[in-house]
């Protein structure tokens, strides 16, 4: 036997195995990146919603549309398209828990066109907001060909959660003919984040010119800014925007509608554009001033008097004036009802002075508090601090020369009159004697 030839042949076989292993070592036998399985149908997308619009879904939603989009990549038209969906545990058919999730397409798909199948599913309340795997089986027939074909596709889909955007005024009351700080809360009460939120105050001038009718009443209202970049609003959270707004005099005792144009991206990454109105109630301005506070003697009793004037543009309602002591004053706290305080018309008040304990006279520091309600029946307080001087009316002052002056003047006048009368009588007697 020729061992040298056998050795050479064995060496060639071994080297051939190494060459083969080196040639295919970077790819597996069934996962080549260049592998292609050509068929008539190709899956494009799978999501909750319809062909026209994706929708956000949350755990517990029922009878939700789930759409799978395909492309007919074959060379022939197909018809009789049916589908069956297989989803993980926690997803079931809208027809019942144990029913198949199926869908039919009523129309045929021409070669090169897209088509879709829409299934209806229920989501259990315990599932998580995350990505899930799914499988769909598609049955179809080619035109001018007998028999039915089917193909299977694996895909991934996401339970997004749902986002709910809402705008509201933190304090819905503003006041006319003055600057107001307004704050709006932008909240997301859903389970999915809202990203890249931008808000623009509606362009009412364009609205009016296009419709010839004012849809809001903000044409003459002055805002210090009209656009805000809010950013991302996480689920169950809020963000706030603030701005200054001046309300003209002609807008009061009515609701101000401020249109806000909102753009954001939902959990699918789709851009959403919507408009919401934020409403404010405009109170009239009540601008009160207390002046000419003094003490007079009224019916034998010292009384604190004063005037109240309203320099605003609406009446103050249900007015009460309260006199109370400050510091070491022992004036008794007393309240007087003065009713409505009209604009540009002074309203007087007078409160008799009473004491807690023994009367104290001289200087007293006091506070006058005006309590009233505005148009929306919200109560307000206006304080005015001042000092008054109380006299001791029980002390009889010692007489001075000025106190005797009236009597002395009367005696002088009587004496003059007496002298004149005496002279007249004497003159008459002299004439009679002669």
């Amino acid at each position: 036997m020729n061992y040298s030839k056998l050795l050479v042949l064995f060496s060639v076989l071994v080297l051939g195995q190494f060459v083969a292993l080196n040639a295919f070592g970077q790819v597996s036998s069934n996962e080549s990146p260049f592998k292609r399985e050509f068929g008539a149908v190709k899956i494009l997308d799978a999501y909750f919603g319809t062909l026209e619009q994706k929708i956000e879904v949350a755990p517990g939603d029922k009878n939700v549309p789930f759409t799978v989009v395909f492309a007919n990549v074959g060379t022939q038209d197909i018809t009789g398209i049916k589908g069956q969906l297989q989803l993980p545990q926690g997803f079931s058919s809208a027809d019942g828990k144990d029913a198949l999730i199926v869908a039919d397409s009523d129309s045929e798909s021409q070669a090169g066109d897209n088509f879709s199948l829409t299934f209806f599913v229920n989501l259990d309340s315990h599932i998580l907001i995350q990505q899930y795997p799914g499988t769909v089986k598609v049955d179809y027939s080619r035109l001018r060909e007998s028999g039915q074909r089917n193909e299977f596709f694996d895909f991934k889909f996401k339970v997004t959660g749902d986002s709910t955007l809402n705008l509201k005024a933190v304090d819905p009351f503003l006041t006319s003919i003055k600057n107001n700080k307004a704050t709006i809360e932008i909240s997301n009460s859903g389970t999915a984040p809202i990203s890249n939120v931008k808000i623009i105050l509606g362009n009412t001038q364009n609205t009016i010119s296009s419709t010839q009718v004012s849809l809001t009443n903000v044409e003459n209202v002055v805002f210090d800014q009209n656009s805000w970049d809010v950013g991302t609003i996480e689920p169950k959270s809020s963000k706030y925007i603030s701005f200054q707004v001046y309300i003209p005099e002609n807008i009061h005792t009515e609701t101000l509608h401020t249109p806000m144009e909102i753009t954001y991206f939902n959990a699918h990454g789709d851009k959403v554009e919507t408009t919401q109105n934020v409403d404010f109630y405009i109170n009239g301005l009540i601008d009160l001033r207390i002046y000419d506070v003094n003490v007079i003697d009224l019916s034998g009793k010292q009384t604190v008097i004063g005037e109240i004037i309203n320099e605003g543009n609406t009446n103050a309602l249900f007015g009460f004036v309260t006199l109370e002591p400050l510091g070491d004053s022992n004036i008794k706290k007393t309240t007087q009802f003065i009713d409505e305080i009209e604009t540009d018309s002074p309203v007087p008040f007078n409160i008799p002075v009473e004491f807690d304990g023994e009367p104290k006279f001289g200087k007293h520091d006091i506070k006058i508090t005006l309590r009233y309600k505005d148009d929306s029946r919200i109560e307000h307080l206006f304080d005015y601090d001042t000092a008054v001087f109380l006299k001791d009316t029980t002390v009889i002052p010692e007489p001075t020369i000025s106190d005797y002056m009236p009597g002395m003047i009367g005696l002088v006048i009587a004496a003059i009159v007496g002298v004149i009368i005496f002279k007249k009588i004497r003159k008459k007697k002299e004439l009679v004697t002669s």
Side-chain angles (χ1 to χ4, degrees):
M1 178 176 285
N2 191 343
Y3 290 101
S4 60
K5 291 183 178 180
L6 288 176
L7 182 60
V8 171
L9 179 61
F10 179 75
S11 300
V12 171
L13 290 174
V14 172
L15 290 173
Q17 293 295 323
F18 277 110
V19 170
L21 288 173
N22 289 334
F24 298 101
Q26 295 182 2
V27 294
S28 64
S29 60
N30 57 359
E31 293 183 356
S32 169
F34 304 104
K35 181 181 177 181
R36 293 290 181 268
E37 293 183 0
F38 294 100
V41 175
K42 179 182 179 182
I43 189 169
L44 299 179
D45 202 359
Y47 54 85
F48 286 102
T50 63
L51 183 62
E52 292 79 19
Q53 183 180 12
K54 295 179 180 180
I55 62 173
E56 297 177 327
V57 294
D61 288 351
K62 305 297 182 184
N63 199 29
V64 180
F66 186 93
T67 298
V68 184
V69 183
F70 303 90
N72 180 1
V73 295
T75 58
Q76 298 184 41
D77 299 347
I78 61 176
T79 186
I81 303 170
K82 297 180 180 180
Q84 183 175 330
L85 194 63
Q86 182 179 358
L87 299 179
Q89 186 177 358
F91 302 87
S92 58
S93 172
D95 296 328
K97 189 171 184 180
D98 297 325
L100 296 175
I101 309 175
V102 295
D104 296 338
S105 179
D106 295 333
S107 60
E108 64 182 36
S109 175
Q110 296 180 351
D113 286 348
N114 296 344
F115 65 94
S116 65
L117 292 171
T118 299
F119 307 84
F120 289 87
V121 300
N122 294 336
L123 287 72
D124 290 350
S125 58
H126 67 271
I127 64 175
L128 302 177
I129 296 174
Q130 63 179 37
Q131 186 172 265
Y132 292 90
T135 302
V136 62
K137 174 189 176 185
V138 182
D139 297 321
Y140 61 91
S141 298
R142 288 181 176 180
L143 293 180
R144 298 178 300 277
E145 178 183 279
S146 61
Q148 189 177 64
R149 293 172 176 261
N150 58 67
E151 296 189 38
F152 293 84
F153 301 96
D154 294 329
F155 59 86
K156 294 185 182 297
F157 68 98
K158 185 177 181 181
V159 176
T160 59
D162 58 354
S163 56
T164 305
L165 185 69
N166 186 54
L167 273 66
K168 72 173 184 178
V170 174
D171 183 358
F173 298 100
L174 302 178
T175 304
S176 62
I177 58 174
K178 65 175 293 188
N179 277 315
N180 300 262
K181 181 181 179 180
T183 301
I184 295 176
E185 178 185 11
I186 306 101
S187 62
N188 176 12
S189 58
T191 55
I194 303 173
S195 60
N196 200 26
V197 180
K198 297 182 184 296
I199 298 177
I200 298 177
L201 179 67
N203 190 339
T204 56
Q205 297 300 326
N206 290 346
T207 302
I208 295 171
S209 62
S210 62
T211 63
Q212 301 303 315
V213 177
S214 175
L215 302 180
T216 69
N217 51 354
V218 299
E219 301 85 48
N220 298 316
V221 178
V222 180
F223 297 85
D224 70 336
Q225 63 184 114
N226 59 10
S227 63
W228 300 267
D229 190 349
V230 181
T232 298
I233 306 177
E234 298 296 334
K236 309 298 182 184
S237 66
S238 300
K239 287 193 174 181
Y240 300 86
I241 58 174
S242 296
F243 51 91
Q244 294 289 328
V245 54
Y246 177 81
I247 312 296
E249 184 174 6
N250 64 313
I251 303 179
H252 67 278
T253 66
E254 62 182 78
T255 301
L256 177 69
H257 305 288
T258 55
M260 297 292 183
E261 299 173 359
I262 311 161
T263 60
Y264 63 92
F265 290 87
N266 63 16
H268 285 291
D270 296 332
K271 185 176 182 179
V272 179
E273 297 181 354
T274 183
T275 299
Q276 290 189 23
N277 273 348
V278 180
D279 295 335
F280 297 92
Y281 181 80
I282 307 303
N283 284 317
L285 177 64
I286 299 173
D287 187 10
L288 298 176
R289 187 164 62 89
I290 298 175
Y291 63 99
D292 286 350
V293 177
N294 209 340
V295 178
I296 65 169
D297 185 22
L298 190 62
S299 300
K301 198 164 191 177
Q302 293 190 91
T303 303
V304 175
I305 64 170
E307 300 279 349
I308 303 169
I309 190 167
N310 179 5
E311 298 176 336
N313 64 349
T314 192
N315 297 343
L317 309 175
F318 312 112
F320 289 86
V321 175
T322 299
L323 170 66
E324 58 182 311
L326 295 175
D328 59 354
S329 173
N330 68 335
I331 294 177
K332 183 181 292 186
K333 184 177 179 179
T334 308
T335 298
Q336 181 185 50
F337 176 63
I338 59 173
D339 200 9
E340 191 169 341
I341 308 172
E342 298 180 350
T343 60
D344 303 327
S345 179
V347 177
F349 65 89
N350 53 84
I351 303 176
V353 175
E354 297 184 6
F355 295 94
D356 274 328
E358 292 296 324
K360 292 182 180 180
F361 302 100
K363 182 181 178 182
H364 284 259
D365 293 323
I366 61 172
K367 174 188 286 186
I368 298 173
T369 300
L370 179 58
R371 187 171 80 250
Y372 64 94
K373 292 186 177 181
D374 59 24
D375 298 322
S376 53
R377 300 304 189 267
I378 297 176
E379 188 171 84
H380 302 269
L381 298 175
F382 176 75
D383 294 331
Y384 177 74
D385 295 345
T386 188
V388 294
F389 191 85
L390 301 179
K391 297 178 181 179
D392 187 355
T393 57
T394 62
V395 177
I396 300 176
E398 294 184 0
T400 62
I401 190 169
S402 60
D403 295 325
Y404 295 106
M405 287 299 295
M408 295 174 63
I409 293 173
L411 289 175
V412 171
I413 292 174
I416 293 172
V417 171
V419 170
I420 293 173
I421 293 174
F422 176 76
K423 286 183 178 182
K424 286 185 177 181
I425 293 173
R426 184 177 177 183
K427 188 176 182 178
K428 285 183 180 180
K429 285 182 179 181
E430 289 177 353
L431 290 173
V432 171
T433 304
S434 60

